[in-house]
Amino acid sequence: MTVTSAPTRARVVVADDDVNVRDALCELLEHRGCAVVGRATDGAEAVTVTSDTDPDVVLMDLRMPGVDGISACRQIKDRFPTTQVIILSAYDDESFRELADGIGVYCYLVKGCPGELILDMVVRAFRMKREVEAKETGD
Amino acid sequence: MTSTNRPGGRSVPLAVLILAVTLLALSLVLAVHQRERARAALDHRLTTMVGEETALLDNYFERARSIALITSHNPAFEDFYETPGGRVAKLQAGGPLIEEAYDALAYLQVLFPTSIGEACFIDVGGAENARVVRGEYATLGDLAPDESGNPFFGPTFAMGQGDVYQAEPYVSPDTGEWVISNSTIIPTGEGSKRAIVHFEVTVESFRETAATFGDDAVIRVVDAPTGAVVIDSRYEQAVGAPLGRTQDHRFGWLSQVEQSSGIRTLDGARTAFGRLSPTLGNANTWFVVATAPEIPFVDSVGLVPIVLTVVALVLLLIGGMNSVRVSRTIRQQNRRLEEQGERLEKAQSERGRLLRQAVEAAEDERRRIAAELHDGPIQDLTAIDLRLEPLRLDLEETEQPGSASLRDAQERIRHEIAELRRLIARLRPPALDERGLEAALADQARLVTNSSEVVCRLSSKLAERLDETVETIVYRVAQEALTNVVKHANASHADLSLYHRNGSVVLEVRDNGVGFDVSKLDELLGGGHFGLASMRERVEMAGGAWLVESHPGGGTCIRAEVPR
């Protein structure tokens, strides 16, 4: 019998087509104790990396070449329902927020928001995933 | 080459046509009038002829009657019988007794110098006592022993003294001519009927009289009971020939007429008739008939109507030619107008295409700039902010100086990011491309509500996305209209409505603001105020319709209807 202890660090995949933003996010997350387990430059890669790494949280941009963030989120939530997805987009339109809510993302953040907020949301999402998984295990 | 449109071009042929028709009508009236006048003149002439001829014949019969009576009163005839002795003996004796009787008969030749043929003195037994033929005295041996078979003999003795019998025409045994007999009883004091005097007048003498009327009219004397023509002014009554034109029965109808005179058209000829006065003892019941051909139309109407008709026809010809020319000119002008219309339509189409290209190019440029802002400065500033975040967090945790300045700098960066985001939204709202018109307008409505005093709501009945250009046009119209509402309407509410109608998408932007006087709309459009001109141009460019309804104090409704 193998006993797996619950991870204490959030395992995060960062998906953004802008390399500067992607690197800055990874640097910030790791600096604050998160484990960046994967990086993606578009929606399709984000789905693949998520599938490969089974992260707790996916930090996803919306506007990316090829498969966009919304489509990628939908695929991830379909295949990995407990994985929490946080949208980090330059768009601040309500219609995108409603769309994201409809898919079941954890939250919708707008680029330009404080880094602390991003970190806070990642941690909260991580806990959410833990709670969901705990409930599922308990069931 | 340019053409000039003559305003009065069509009125010239019309005036000519009216003049021609008027002249035609005038010539017709004149022709009818002239023809009636000519007919009246002809009728008058014929009626006069009939009257004169009838009077002549009446006069003849009356005169002959009088002369017969006067002659019968000559004492020579009575003396012949009053003288004692037998008739034959007295005739054989000759002498003054019988010569006076001969002289009395011969005197008739003086009274009827050209027309009298034979005159005689006849005994009641039918034997002639004396006879004069054309002034020649008969000898005793020439006297006829029995004249009682002649047509006048019996009827004369049947009459009383003082009456004259005027027999129907017959051929005289003495002259062979057609004659009319006049005979009367020789009066005696005793009232006995011992003898008659008798003289014959030729029918030809009547014809000669009638022929004096001359010209183209024909005078006929018609026997009323048979309708036979007994005298025809054109044909001499030759010796040995039948009387008149007895086979000509065209006037048989006269036996049916009741009136004594009249006129009518018969076989293309005007025919006037008059009845001779009936007289006791006159066996001839005659009508006088005068005929003349109807006057030919041209002769009757005269020159003026014909000239007017010719002028009218010439005018019609001129008018017709002018009409043809005007019609050709109108067709040419219509063709030019059509060509100009086609060119104008083509130019408008080209203008619309260029406008559409310009608008689409502007939208593309907006989209490109928005994308560059999104992919460039926003991402870069975001990355910078995120890279500064660990440093600021470390400084704050270690309570080292500079953390506050760093926080200020980050907030400044975020503010710039927010400004850039608003700029992107104005340039080309990402929702319009990513999620469509309805989502973009919903965002716009929320933006207005959140950023102004106007509560904006969207009501949409669109089931699917529209053509990209149509969505862009409608979105820009709504954006412009809402900008006006916020800036100028002083409204508390604005309602956006989207729906389909007759193959078009309709956008309504209705507010409850101060409104304005739409009679000044052209002025506002001309001045380019409020973006109205821009809105209308975009809609019309897409082949749509743009309408504004407003009045002071009653809010404004802008309606754009764009084909899908």
Side-chain angles (χ1 to χ4, degrees):
Chain A
M1 178 180 176
T2 302
V3 177
T4 304
S5 60
T8 56
R9 300 173 64 193
R11 303 174 69 255
V12 182
V13 166
V14 176
D16 198 306
D17 61 326
D18 189 278
V19 62
N20 291 327
V21 173
R22 188 170 65 243
D23 288 349
L25 279 171
C26 291
E27 189 177 322
L28 174 63
L29 289 168
E30 288 181 338
H31 183 268
R32 302 307 291 178
C34 296
V36 177
V37 296
R39 303 182 184 205
T41 59
D42 56 41
E45 190 178 6
V47 175
T48 303
V49 171
T50 300
S51 179
D52 292 344
T53 59
D54 188 22
D56 299 308
V57 178
V58 177
L59 201 54
M60 179 86 77
D61 189 14
L62 272 188
R63 188 171 182 275
M64 289 186 292
V67 178
D68 63 15
I70 292 292
S71 299
C73 284
R74 190 175 287 117
Q75 292 179 40
I76 290 169
K77 293 301 291 182
D78 284 346
R79 293 169 61 181
F80 311 102
T82 60
T83 300
Q84 302 301 309
V85 178
I86 295 172
I87 297 292
L88 181 61
S89 170
Y91 299 153
D92 190 19
D93 302 290
E94 190 62 32
S95 58
F96 288 108
R97 292 179 184 274
E98 290 175 351
L99 188 62
D101 285 347
I103 299 170
V105 302
Y106 181 76
C107 69
Y108 188 108
L109 298 176
V110 178
K111 286 179 178 175
C113 67
E116 284 179 295
L117 180 61
I118 298 172
L119 291 170
D120 186 41
M121 288 299 113
V122 169
V123 171
R124 288 173 183 268
F126 168 60
R127 289 175 185 161
M128 169 67 81
K129 182 172 186 279
R130 291 275 78 82
E131 289 172 8
V132 172
E133 287 176 342
K135 283 182 182 176
E136 288 180 351
T137 304
D139 292 341
Chain B
M1 179 179 164
T2 59
S3 63
T4 304
N5 187 16
R6 290 189 307 164
R10 300 186 68 169
S11 62
V12 172
L14 183 62
V16 171
L17 181 64
I18 291 172
L19 180 59
V21 171
T22 305
L23 285 177
L24 273 178
L26 183 61
S27 65
L28 182 63
V29 170
L30 271 176
V32 170
H33 177 68
Q34 294 286 80
R35 184 164 175 73
E36 286 178 352
R37 280 188 59 185
R39 164 74 68 81
L42 175 62
D43 288 354
H44 176 73
R45 190 159 61 89
L46 291 175
T47 304
T48 302
M49 284 182 185
V50 168
E52 289 179 358
E53 179 66 10
T54 303
L56 280 174
L57 291 175
D58 280 340
N59 285 341
Y60 158 73
F61 282 114
E62 185 61 35
R63 179 165 175 261
R65 211 165 20 248
S66 301
I67 288 173
L69 289 174
I70 292 169
T71 302
S72 70
H73 279 83
N74 192 308
F77 300 115
E78 189 176 4
D79 289 348
F80 180 79
Y81 284 104
E82 293 300 323
T83 301
R87 169 184 163 272
V88 174
K90 284 187 265 190
L91 289 175
Q92 289 176 342
L97 184 62
I98 192 65
E99 287 174 358
E100 288 180 5
Y102 268 100
D103 290 344
L105 293 177
Y107 186 70
L108 292 171
Q109 192 72 49
V110 177
L111 300 175
F112 297 97
T114 59
S115 57
I116 198 159
E118 182 257 5
C120 62
F121 169 34
I122 303 174
D123 189 79
V124 69
E128 278 184 327
N129 294 329
R131 183 178 69 204
V132 177
V133 178
R134 301 195 192 287
E136 294 292 329
Y137 292 21
T139 63
L140 183 61
D142 291 335
L143 294 174
D146 186 6
E147 293 278 349
S148 63
N150 282 325
F152 60 85
F153 189 83
T156 304
F157 276 104
M159 299 181 77
Q161 288 186 16
D163 293 333
V164 177
Y165 181 70
Q166 296 174 306
E168 293 179 2
Y170 63 92
V171 176
S172 170
D174 299 301
T175 64
E177 295 176 303
W178 285 91
V179 295
I180 291 174
S181 161
N182 302 273
S183 52
T184 187
I185 294 172
I186 294 172
T188 64
E190 301 169 351
S192 62
K193 298 178 180 178
R194 289 183 294 197
I196 60 173
V197 288
H198 150 83
F199 61 90
E200 296 169 346
V201 174
T202 62
V203 171
E204 174 62 13
S205 65
F206 296 121
R207 190 201 67 80
E208 288 173 348
T209 304
T212 59
F213 289 106
D215 65 32
D216 58 339
V218 176
I219 300 291
R220 293 182 179 88
V221 174
V222 177
D223 181 54
T226 62
V229 175
V230 295
I231 296 170
D232 187 315
S233 63
R234 296 169 298 175
Y235 304 105
E236 182 180 350
Q237 184 56 60
V239 175
L243 177 64
R245 319 301 273 188
T246 51
Q247 300 305 311
D248 185 354
H249 290 282
R250 80 182 71 176
F251 301 103
W253 52 272
L254 283 168
S255 63
Q256 308 296 322
V257 300
E258 295 181 356
Q259 65 268 41
S260 59
S261 64
I263 188 164
R264 63 181 61 180
T265 297
L266 188 71
D267 295 336
R270 290 298 280 173
T271 303
F273 62 91
R275 188 195 302 267
L276 265 63
S277 304
T279 308
L280 178 65
N282 188 350
N284 299 287
T285 51
W286 286 352
F287 275 96
V288 172
V289 178
T291 60
E294 287 274 21
I295 302 173
F297 180 80
V298 174
D299 294 343
S300 67
V301 300
L303 194 59
V304 173
I306 293 173
V307 170
L308 287 177
T309 302
V310 170
V311 170
L313 292 176
V314 169
L315 286 175
L316 279 175
L317 183 63
I318 293 170
M321 291 171 65
N322 201 24
S323 292
V324 169
R325 189 174 58 77
V326 169
S327 296
R328 191 165 55 237
T329 304
I330 289 171
R331 279 200 302 276
Q332 288 172 347
Q333 289 178 348
N334 284 342
R335 194 158 53 243
R336 287 195 201 100
L337 284 174
E338 286 174 4
E339 289 170 358
Q340 287 173 357
E342 287 170 2
R343 283 199 294 273
L344 180 61
E345 194 175 331
K346 194 174 176 183
Q348 286 175 334
S349 173
E350 181 66 11
R351 176 178 173 273
R353 189 182 65 80
L354 292 173
L355 271 172
R356 199 157 43 248
Q357 279 185 351
V359 169
E360 287 173 357
E363 285 296 330
D364 288 345
E365 187 65 9
R366 284 164 174 261
R367 191 183 287 111
R368 187 185 65 77
I369 294 171
E372 285 186 0
L373 289 174
H374 173 273
D375 296 340
I378 286 185
Q379 305 301 333
D380 290 345
L381 290 171
T382 299
I384 291 169
D385 178 41
L386 291 174
R387 285 188 184 281
L388 291 174
E389 189 70 359
L391 179 58
R392 185 185 61 78
L393 291 173
D394 287 348
L395 289 176
E396 282 183 353
E397 284 173 359
T398 57
E399 296 181 348
Q400 293 183 44
S403 65
S405 298
L406 197 51
R407 178 181 291 273
D408 289 344
Q410 283 184 285
E411 286 179 356
R412 182 64 189 166
I413 290 170
R414 291 166 196 156
H415 175 75
E416 289 302 321
I417 292 172
E419 285 300 313
L420 286 171
R421 192 164 26 245
R422 276 192 286 276
L423 181 58
I424 287 173
R426 283 200 299 275
L427 282 170
R428 181 73 187 181
L432 186 58
D433 293 321
E434 303 289 340
R435 302 209 52 211
L437 176 64
E438 187 176 327
L441 286 181
D443 287 341
Q444 186 68 23
R446 274 189 290 268
L447 181 65
V448 169
T449 301
N450 295 335
S451 61
S452 73
E453 300 299 321
V454 181
V455 175
C456 186
R457 292 170 298 201
L458 170 68
S459 168
S460 174
K461 295 178 180 175
L462 298 184
E464 57 192 14
R465 289 200 62 172
L466 306 171
D467 173 77
E468 181 184 324
T469 303
V470 174
E471 287 195 332
T472 300
I473 290 168
V474 174
Y475 179 81
R476 292 301 181 198
V477 170
Q479 191 179 36
E480 195 67 55
L482 288 175
T483 300
N484 285 342
V485 172
V486 171
K487 285 185 178 177
H488 307 289
N490 195 22
S492 62
H493 287 82
D495 292 317
L496 300 177
S497 300
L498 269 179
Y499 55 90
H500 291 300
R501 182 169 66 189
N502 300 328
S504 294
V505 58
V506 182
L507 165 73
E508 280 185 11
V509 182
R510 187 184 299 274
D511 68 60
N512 63 345
V514 295
F516 65 99
D517 185 358
V518 290
S519 66
K520 297 179 179 174
L521 181 62
D522 287 342
E523 189 181 324
L524 294 170
L525 286 168
H529 292 290
F530 307 151
L532 295 174
S534 167
M535 274 189 271
R536 188 174 75 170
E537 192 172 69
R538 284 175 183 275
V539 173
E540 292 180 350
M541 173 196 76
W546 183 83
L547 176 72
V548 58
E549 297 172 350
S550 184
H551 55 87
T556 300
C557 177
I558 288 174
R559 183 179 301 113
E561 193 166 335
V562 182
R564 297 173 65 187

